[in-house]
Amino acid sequence: MTSRHRHRVVIRGIVQGVGFRPAMHRHAASLGLAGFVGNDGAGVFVEVEGELSKIDAFVEGLAAAAPPLAVIDDVAVTELAAGGAEGFRIVDSDTSASTTTLVAPDIAPCDDCLAELLDPADRRYRYPFVNCTNCGPRYSIVRSVPYDRATTTMAGFVMCAGCAAEYEDPSDRRFHAEPTCCPACGPSLTLRTRDAVLGAGDVIGELVARLREGSIAAVKGLGGYHLACDARNEEAVASLRSRKDREEKPFALLVGSVEEARAIADVSAVEADLLVDPARPIVLLARRVDAGVAPSVAPRNGSLGAMLAPTPLHVLLVEAFGGPLVLTSGNRSSEPIVTDDDDAIERLDGIADVFCTHDRPIHVRVDDSVTRVVGDRQIVIRRARGLAPRPARVLARFPRHTLACGAQLKSTVCLGRDDVAFVSQHLGDLENHETYLAFRQAVDHLGALFGVDPMVVAHDLHPDMASTAHAQDLAAAEGLDLVGVQHHHAHIASCLADNEADGPVIGLAFDGLGLGVDGTLWGGEVLHADLARAARLGHLASVPMPGGDMAVREPWRMALAHLAGVLEADALAVTDVFERNRERWDAVASMVRSGVNAPLTSSVGRLFDAVAAIVGVRDEVTYEGQAAIELEQAVDLTESGSYPVAISADGPFLVDTGPIVRGVADDVRAGVAAPTVAGRFHNAVVDLMVAAARRARETTGLATVALSGGVFQNALLLARAVPALSGCGFEVLTHRRFPANDGGISLGQAVVVAGRDRVDA
Ligand code: ZN
Ligand code: ZN
Ligand code: FE
């Protein structure tokens, strides 16, 4: 008789609420092993007994046997005495332990659920809330932990006998699927206007009929309400724009399939994979000339944001409609997306003609995620539904539970403990009071979900950010340590964390604006950075920002500031940008000369603005980043020319942008086409990066470059900069799972705290 062995296997990560125990049950049974599997505060534990070779095969095959939504962080195996166990059981959860369950993101319907949804013989045929352990709502419905039906917004729905039987059967796909339900026992749809319920019968059919007539509908999704209308109906889309008070920022589209996406945009293989990813992000695609969508969907924009149905409700909707639908956040202009039903009626009345709602409450507001592809890789522009709150493993263990309050415009918060960082979903602009409240809720909710009780709180150096004020208040009220982290150090640290690296590196932090340690506004920084420290090796030469914030909204002001440094008055007076803005030119020019109301900035984002205006792409913007986005889209991809880059001799070195701006202005005056100039400018920025990195390598000996900051959402720039730097012998770190923009700042702040704690220890 072969000798029996018994091993205990402890698995940590996202292993609860994702069907992990039944998967382990099947895995052990297939190998003929005895024992049991259960949940506890740390994750999932398995005890397997049998032949040693079978136990080894169990551990080796564990990752492959895990269910699709699971994320395994760590597997620990210990040996026990064999006890003559027979059969394999799933044991009850030990909920007494201090639970640090990792809650999974919300996930689109799996293939099995989709098949049921479309099978007339199935009891969940056309049921918009079908889900199982492999898919469905998670983060948006969890009120507290341990993750259990009673702690979700499904608590109010009592399972029918059929659902309960599936829920209790370890061999069933719905074993302990907490949000499981069916038409007999689960939530249902209602179609209504502000004042009247229109029906609960064929809600989708009725909704589609109204959308075809050109109505605008509010549709309750996973993490909030959307506004929907026929993407081919210009009148409907234009009226949505005016009712929502949104000028030109593009709307996203819901499409039925990858093929439908291909009808409106170019879709590469990587982009197709991203569209069908269970997270169902919005993917920014290059629009086809014959896209056939209404001009108001994305005015003056060469790309279209498309997503496949994120829920069974959307599957039914887009299938019945049979064409692309605008699906944009249900809010007014800068307000956060609406989640509460009464609130939706109240706030979206006047925008939506009709409301498609349901009775499963949304506990956590989560916007759609936005991604795009650079080369063969995705970059995340907005990290939210489907991606948050998936944790990041960090190299620098957090010696203390840490809270980082992030920045202001694309706010996120980050909580850290042990070796994991939990970054919240995109919260939005904290200037809005509702968003600020959501920010405070996110701090409390994530802390409770993941068992983080902060002892230290990190913030940006900018005193006017609401996140900074909140950190200061919290530190004062609860006696926490307070750590200020410079904005661009946080950017580079977030890129390090994203790559599970800890430096030191040469950090190129190129973005809009962030407060520097010298009190000026930074944004074109070459840093010598690791997690604990950052030193400014060099930067773009500073120029005035005439009118401060006004210069952000009006790129022509940055054109004036940059041109004033390189052109004589008479040459300036014959530029197109001067011609277009001559009436307001002198007042702004005197701000530049006097320095009054003209703070200095080294920002690369503002340089893009200046060039966009000089080239004639855009003098004023209606949303953040618009000028740079349109300049990127204007580029003639075949253009290989560039402009000269000048770097001063002494350190900290200065990158003089004068020759670039002069080159742009000379070309424009000589009548060179805008796409050519835009192409040469992008190439010049790549040259500038390479020159700055080489200079930094000479003084530091470092050969790794980390790229972070909002400028690196520019796919063209990133796609050209990475090979250019690699070609010069640099290892290049770029963002992968977290945004290069300010959405990544909280993660960066948190790991800087960890890095400093480690140095101090
Ligand atoms: Zn499913
Ligand atoms: Zn049921
Ligand atoms: Fe930034």
Coordinates of all heavy atoms in Angstrom, one line a residue, residues 109-110 113 131-132 134-135 173, ligand 1:
P109 N -21.3 39.3 -17.9 CA -21.8 37.9 -17.9 C -20.9 36.9 -18.6 O -20.3 37.2 -19.6 CB -23.2 38.0 -18.7 CG -23.2 39.4 -19.3 CD -22.3 40.2 -18.5
C110 N -20.7 35.8 -18.0 CA -19.9 34.7 -18.6 C -20.6 34.0 -19.7 O -21.8 34.2 -19.9 CB -19.4 33.7 -17.5 SG -20.8 32.7 -16.9
C113 N -23.7 32.0 -18.6 CA -24.9 32.9 -18.3 C -25.5 33.4 -19.5 O -26.7 33.6 -19.7 CB -24.5 33.9 -17.3 SG -24.3 33.3 -15.6
N131 N -26.7 35.8 -13.3 CA -25.3 35.8 -12.9 C -24.9 34.5 -12.2 O -25.8 33.7 -12.0 CB -24.9 37.0 -12.0 CG -25.6 36.8 -10.6 OD1 -25.1 36.2 -9.7 ND2 -26.7 37.5 -10.4
C132 N -23.6 34.3 -12.0 CA -23.2 33.0 -11.3 C -21.9 33.3 -10.6 O -21.4 34.5 -10.5 CB -23.0 31.9 -12.3 SG -21.6 32.0 -13.4
N134 N -19.0 32.9 -11.5 CA -18.0 33.3 -12.5 C -18.2 34.7 -13.0 O -17.4 35.2 -13.8 CB -17.9 32.3 -13.6 CG -17.5 30.9 -13.1 OD1 -16.7 30.8 -12.2 ND2 -18.0 29.9 -13.8
C135 N -19.3 35.3 -12.7 CA -19.6 36.6 -13.3 C -20.6 37.4 -12.4 O -21.2 36.8 -11.5 CB -20.2 36.4 -14.7 SG -21.8 35.8 -14.8
R173 N -22.8 25.6 -10.7 CA -22.1 26.8 -11.0 C -22.5 28.0 -10.1 O -21.8 29.0 -10.0 CB -22.4 27.1 -12.5 CG -21.5 28.1 -13.1 CD -21.8 28.2 -14.6 NE -22.6 29.3 -15.0 CZ -23.9 29.2 -15.4 NH1 -24.5 28.0 -15.6 NH2 -24.6 30.3 -15.7
Ligands
ZN1 ZN -22.0 33.5 -15.1

